[in-house]
Amino acid sequence: MDHLLADLSEPQREAVTHTDGPLLILAGPGSGKTRVVTRRAAYLASTVARPYEILAITFTNKAAGEMRERIGSLGLAEGMTVCTFHAFCAKLLRVYHERFDISRNFTIYDTDDRRKVIKDAIERCHLSSENWTPATVERHISLAKNELLDAAGFEGSVSDWRLREVARIYQEYERQMTEMAALDFDDLLMLVAKLLDRDAELCDELECRYRYVLIDEYQDTNLAQYRIARLISQRRKNLCATGDPDQSIYGWRGANIENILNFERDYPKARVVRLEQNYRSTKRILAVADNLIVGNQRRKEKALWTANEEGVPVHVAEFDQADDEAETIARSIVQHVENGDRYSEVAIFYRVNSLSRVLEETLFKAGIPYQVARGVEFYNRKEIKDVLAYLRVLVNPADEVALRRMINTPPRGIGATSIERLEELCRASGRRVFDALTNGSDLSSLGRSAGKVSEFAALLRQLGEAVKMPAPDALRFVLSHSGLRAMYAREGDDEDAPIHNLDELVNAATEFQNEFPDSTIVDWLEFTALVSDVDSVDKETDRVTLMTLHAAKGLEFPVVFIIGVEDGLIPFRREEHVSDMEEERRLLFVGMTRAKRELTLSLAHWRMRQGATMRTLRSPFLDEIPQDGVEWAEVEDEAPVSSRPARSGGGRLPPDIDQWSSGTLVRHPVYGIGQILTLFRGARRTHVDVQFQRGQRMQWVLEFAELERVDYDEVGDTG
DNA sequence: AATATTCCCGTTTTT
DNA sequence: CGGGAATATT
């Protein structure tokens, strides 16, 4: 067992060998957390517990996979439960489905499915959607569920009339979801948390099964997750939480940083171990990042240090156009490779996915191989969702979102009207559409399309055969009998043609089947619902990695570029929407601390956003980093030719126009102080959209508006 | 009913 | 700019 401790630092060893009672591991970036966590699991498994008594919960599948692999290489993973919160809850829900009063074969709805149901619910409520978009409703419902409020609970908790309407929609949504035996991501957590809350017996049972619980990335837990963690370690308190408040970046989706900040209050006898030595970055990178993060209030102080070498200065590069930024990065990458680095050592991070486009174009032109880690690209493709809809209906006939999708895919001459009439018919007779179809009910009232519908019903019955097949076989069966394969075969077979993705899906299913020989279609569907493509960034092939700052958490690269370090982007800001500055700061901190050797922050004065090129301002965070150890490179700012207004056109731009952007505070002789929402430089005129403090909002041609810029400190706190 | 076209909207981050 | 929905066309 000594080999588990041999090469550990003192605090690391302490974290590994603490067995019983609550333990909080505050792990700075690059402090060897993964190593500690895996060693600890292995240590427990070889001293006080059996592997199957250990439960390790992570936030992403990637983290789970990595942990499983690393514990495996220590020879002890067999039987250990290592998975995400969502996967853990899904498993519990299946095993104890009776206690949850839900079908064992419930379907997990992704964001798309959920949105469809919410739109439906809104329609059924006959509410004008003037006041909120489906997205807004969705968000409210999601946040409510994170706070353990079901539809009834939510209704009881709101007074605002707008939220009351949301509550009605929530109720309708919940009703429909129940009818379809469908759960969304948030349900998985909420239902488990709620059940554990009232089922002490089950808690005991779980606690006996999982004597040691480990929660990774504890700073990103929401209330539901916090409760689950607490309830399954209630008696023994063998809960080990690891994380770093400075890396809490999911507040927007309900994560509560207080969970980690208050750990010692929640678990008074907790041992706290700080991992402060950084083994990843150079002194300079760490110093710059640390200098930024100390600006935060809500944190637990850590004295980050490293024995690594000084390294080269951190770069801050300022460009005129976003194209220049991308091109310079491309050139720099080429240089690196010429100097012997590999493409795979380089990563480029950005705040929003849309920024990847310019980069992709430029890298492609430069012949630089790259990969983009994007959310759920693969499983969101139309062809993939099409086939999966078939499987979903097979195992859960109540899944009407999937049924609606498959009924006319491929086109069977059953249009929207017919589908609606069919659904109406079923609703009237209180039957599920699936049952009505497969029981050979009388469909003659459907008129002209009755024939087509019966043909479809026959197909459904035929496909029923596939239910008992293993996933890959069922997939193949469905593909050939449904006509989907034929349909997509017609769409060509280029590199990224649908037909190839379908093949890839079959391969993925086969792989899954090999790994879990006893698995069913339901298991496979669950797997597809809970994976994302971020999980599949591969380090094998030699290429540059592009990803969002959020996706970068937990990774490291020798050479890191962070682009778009501009006000409004980092920190992100949107009209009417105040961002949490501390969380934005943490996000940049996370990005910076991914870098081992070299770090470059860059910004462009002009950036295309929402189809329009806009003037930008550098991120205020750049003013917070020390000049020491940082190298600034500025390029001459040549305003785009098109934006130089003709003198003869009359009017004039403010002299300091270069300093203006969205977010700039301005003063108007009549309207007073306001803030620029958008600033758009057209070929001849510059247009501004200004929101004034007193409530008015004006759109002007800047050349003629009597606006002058004012500084933040001149007007104090403007909210 | 299926396909082509236009238009309009939103637009962070992800399990 | 790009996706989805409403609208026009075959």
Side-chain angles (χ1 to χ4, degrees):
Chain A
M1 176 212 319
D2 282 349
H3 70 285
L4 294 176
L5 308 174
D7 47 356
L8 298 179
S9 71
E10 195 39 49
Q12 287 181 335
R13 183 186 305 235
E14 192 187 344
V16 168
T17 55
H18 171 99
T19 54
D20 287 42
L23 170 67
L24 173 64
I25 305 175
L26 287 171
S31 60
K33 183 188 68 178
T34 311
R35 163 189 263 218
V36 168
V37 164
T38 52
R39 293 292 180 87
R40 182 180 148 79
Y43 182 86
L44 291 174
S46 55
T47 54
V48 292
R50 318 293 311 261
Y52 62 80
E53 292 174 317
I54 297 171
L55 169 66
I57 294 184
T58 61
F59 248 70
T60 63
N61 296 292
K62 186 184 64 199
E66 197 174 306
M67 195 183 296
R68 210 176 294 123
E69 193 181 308
R70 288 179 63 166
I71 298 174
S73 70
L74 297 169
L76 292 152
E78 203 59 47
M80 217 179 274
T81 306
V82 184
C83 61
T84 64
F85 257 112
H86 294 266
F88 177 67
C89 291
K91 286 280 175 293
L92 280 186
L93 282 156
R94 302 238 188 251
V95 174
Y96 299 102
H97 70 278
E98 277 165 344
R99 299 196 197 203
F100 290 97
D101 193 25
I102 186 165
S103 153
R104 179 196 289 276
N105 286 357
F106 67 84
T107 309
I108 299 172
Y109 272 24
D110 67 14
T111 328
D112 270 13
D113 302 321
R114 178 170 69 178
R115 180 151 308 176
K116 280 181 193 157
V117 183
I118 286 182
K119 279 185 181 168
D120 259 26
I122 290 176
E123 250 172 60
R124 287 181 197 216
C125 286
H126 303 294
L127 296 168
S128 81
S129 58
E130 292 293 300
N131 300 306
W132 19 250
T133 60
T136 317
V137 176
E138 208 174 321
R139 202 176 147 63
H140 276 297
I141 294 180
S142 175
L143 289 176
K145 287 184 178 181
N146 290 164
E147 291 288 312
L148 301 176
L149 292 170
D150 56 20
F154 182 71
E155 195 189 24
S157 79
V158 298
S159 48
D160 177 72
W161 65 271
R162 229 179 282 194
L163 290 182
R164 288 187 160 279
E165 295 204 331
V166 172
R168 272 181 63 199
I169 301 166
Y170 188 177
Q171 223 131 38
E172 181 61 20
Y173 171 72
E174 193 176 71
R175 202 186 57 73
Q176 283 190 46
M177 291 290 280
T178 309
E179 222 165 68
M180 297 186 294
L183 301 180
D184 63 29
F185 290 136
D186 303 311
D187 285 327
L188 299 175
L189 304 176
M190 178 178 78
L191 292 184
V192 168
K194 276 182 171 299
L195 180 68
L196 292 180
D197 221 6
R198 57 169 202 269
D199 194 336
E201 200 181 297
L202 180 56
C203 286
D204 275 356
E205 207 175 313
L206 290 175
E207 198 167 356
C208 289
R209 166 76 163 78
Y210 302 112
R211 290 177 49 221
Y212 292 88
V213 178
L214 182 130
I215 313 284
D216 197 16
E217 309 281 15
Y218 194 74
Q219 77 280 0
D220 283 324
T221 50
N222 59 33
L223 179 65
Q225 291 161 329
Y226 166 85
R227 283 288 250 287
I228 294 168
R230 198 176 168 80
L231 288 164
I232 57 177
S233 58
Q234 228 164 183
R235 280 197 314 187
R236 296 178 216 265
K237 301 272 193 297
N238 286 339
L239 175 68
C240 168
T242 73
D244 178 3
D246 292 338
Q247 296 182 61
S248 165
I249 55 178
Y250 286 105
W252 53 272
R253 72 172 205 213
N256 185 0
I257 192 174
E258 300 296 328
N259 290 157
I260 193 166
L261 294 178
N262 292 335
F263 190 86
E264 292 151 273
R265 190 201 65 194
D266 292 338
Y267 300 91
K269 293 192 189 118
R271 174 88 68 90
V272 180
V273 178
R274 285 179 154 75
L275 304 179
E276 298 173 314
Q277 180 177 4
N278 176 298
Y279 300 93
R280 177 185 296 154
S281 310
T282 63
K283 284 198 171 68
R284 277 170 158 160
I285 291 172
L286 191 65
V288 170
D290 190 50
N291 246 285
L292 176 75
I293 203 64
V294 293
N296 274 6
Q297 300 298 314
R298 302 170 84 195
R299 62 190 300 257
K300 280 184 183 284
E301 266 175 51
K302 287 190 298 310
L304 299 180
W305 64 281
T306 182
N308 292 346
E309 58 189 35
E310 190 77 17
V312 296
V314 170
H315 271 81
V316 178
E318 206 165 332
F319 299 94
D320 189 38
Q321 304 287 328
D323 299 7
D324 305 338
E325 181 186 41
E327 270 165 38
T328 304
I329 290 175
R331 271 200 296 276
S332 170
I333 293 172
V334 169
Q335 194 89 62
H336 273 97
V337 171
E338 277 172 4
N339 292 340
D341 289 342
R342 290 157 47 87
Y343 289 117
S344 56
E345 291 177 86
V346 182
I348 310 174
F349 304 149
Y350 34 79
R351 179 62 225 262
V352 294
N353 278 124
S354 59
L355 289 194
S356 74
R357 189 161 303 123
V358 205
L359 287 168
E360 287 189 66
E361 277 167 23
T362 312
L363 294 181
F364 181 79
K365 270 190 241 159
I368 298 171
Y370 66 87
Q371 64 176 329
V372 188
R374 203 170 280 133
V376 284
E377 205 178 316
F378 185 74
Y379 289 99
N380 259 347
R381 287 170 188 274
K382 181 179 177 303
E383 62 272 23
I384 303 299
K385 299 204 80 173
D386 285 346
V387 212
L388 293 182
Y390 278 77
L391 294 195
R392 278 165 55 174
V393 170
L394 287 186
V395 297
N396 176 15
D399 185 348
E400 297 208 351
V401 169
L403 183 62
R404 208 181 293 167
R405 181 182 195 110
M406 72 181 279
I407 198 164
N408 202 33
T409 318
R412 302 190 168 89
I414 308 171
T417 331
S418 306
I419 296 177
E420 220 163 275
R421 233 188 286 162
L422 174 64
E423 284 176 352
E424 190 45 53
L425 182 76
C426 294
R427 204 171 307 137
S429 58
R431 283 173 308 175
R432 293 204 291 222
V433 177
F434 181 92
D435 299 332
L437 289 172
T438 49
N439 292 347
S441 317
D442 178 29
L443 300 168
S444 54
S445 60
L446 290 175
R448 181 164 292 121
S449 49
K452 313 255 189 199
V453 175
S454 343
E455 267 174 53
F456 174 68
L459 173 68
L460 260 189
R461 282 191 292 267
Q462 185 195 4
L463 292 178
E465 265 183 62
V467 184
K468 282 161 274 148
M469 299 181 186
D473 303 271
L475 265 179
R476 275 188 283 259
F477 187 86
V478 162
L479 275 171
S480 51
H481 290 81
S482 65
L484 276 177
R485 189 187 286 284
M487 172 175 110
Y488 281 119
R490 263 179 267 124
E491 294 189 16
D493 63 345
D494 298 341
E495 183 95 14
D496 57 345
I499 196 79
H500 284 148
N501 291 323
L502 290 173
D503 286 341
E504 205 177 308
L505 184 70
V506 177
N507 291 341
T510 311
E511 223 172 87
F512 182 83
Q513 192 69 30
N514 290 339
E515 195 176 337
F516 308 100
D518 299 329
S519 66
T520 63
I521 296 177
V522 175
D523 299 322
W524 156 246
L525 285 176
E526 180 174 303
F527 172 78
T528 64
L530 297 176
V531 290
S532 75
D533 286 6
V534 186
D535 305 328
S536 66
V537 283
D538 86 290
K539 298 224 100 178
E540 306 301 306
T541 35
D542 186 25
R543 45 187 176 165
V544 174
T545 303
L546 276 54
M547 58 171 66
T548 63
L549 287 163
H550 283 88
K553 189 169 76 167
L555 304 177
E556 60 177 29
F557 297 88
V559 180
V560 167
F561 295 91
I562 301 178
I563 68 165
V565 188
E566 296 146 20
D567 194 30
L569 215 44
I570 311 175
F572 190 85
R573 193 182 323 106
R574 208 170 66 199
E575 302 166 29
E576 306 286 314
H577 198 272
V578 273
S579 49
D580 177 346
M581 280 301 263
E582 295 213 344
E583 181 156 315
E584 297 294 314
R585 194 178 279 113
R586 293 193 290 264
L587 190 54
L588 182 56
F589 173 77
V590 166
M592 290 163 110
T593 52
R594 302 306 99 194
K596 293 163 93 163
R597 276 197 339 249
E598 278 182 50
L599 172 63
T600 303
L601 310 179
S602 63
L603 59 135
H605 293 162
W606 295 92
R607 187 173 302 276
M608 172 120 81
R609 269 243 245 159
Q610 307 158 209
T613 302
M614 305 223 278
R615 181 71 218 206
T616 71
L617 262 195
R618 51 193 267 200
S619 166
F621 294 147
L622 288 177
D623 301 327
E624 296 179 15
I625 64 176
Q627 302 299 300
D628 198 35
V630 176
E631 209 168 271
W632 296 72
E634 276 180 65
V635 294
E636 210 175 305
D637 185 10
E638 356 162 340
V641 181
S642 61
S643 70
R644 288 194 190 116
R647 279 264 167 250
S648 55
R652 54 181 271 278
L653 287 168
D656 57 348
I657 178 67
D658 283 354
Q659 305 296 311
W660 294 46
S661 72
S662 64
T664 299
L665 295 178
V666 293
R667 180 183 289 117
H668 186 273
V670 176
Y671 294 92
I673 299 292
Q675 184 171 36
I676 295 186
L677 296 177
T678 60
L679 184 146
F680 172 67
R681 283 191 124 176
R684 303 189 46 219
R685 295 283 178 238
T686 304
H687 302 268
V688 282
D689 184 353
V690 186
Q691 174 70 53
F692 286 94
Q693 270 180 341
R694 297 178 209 148
Q696 302 96 329
R697 181 167 167 183
M698 304 297 293
Q699 289 85 33
W700 283 311
V701 170
L702 185 54
E703 280 87 339
F704 299 102
E706 297 175 71
L707 288 172
E708 61 168 320
R709 194 165 80 92
V710 293
D711 287 318
Y712 282 74
D713 40 23
E714 262 183 77
V715 290
D717 188 10
T718 54

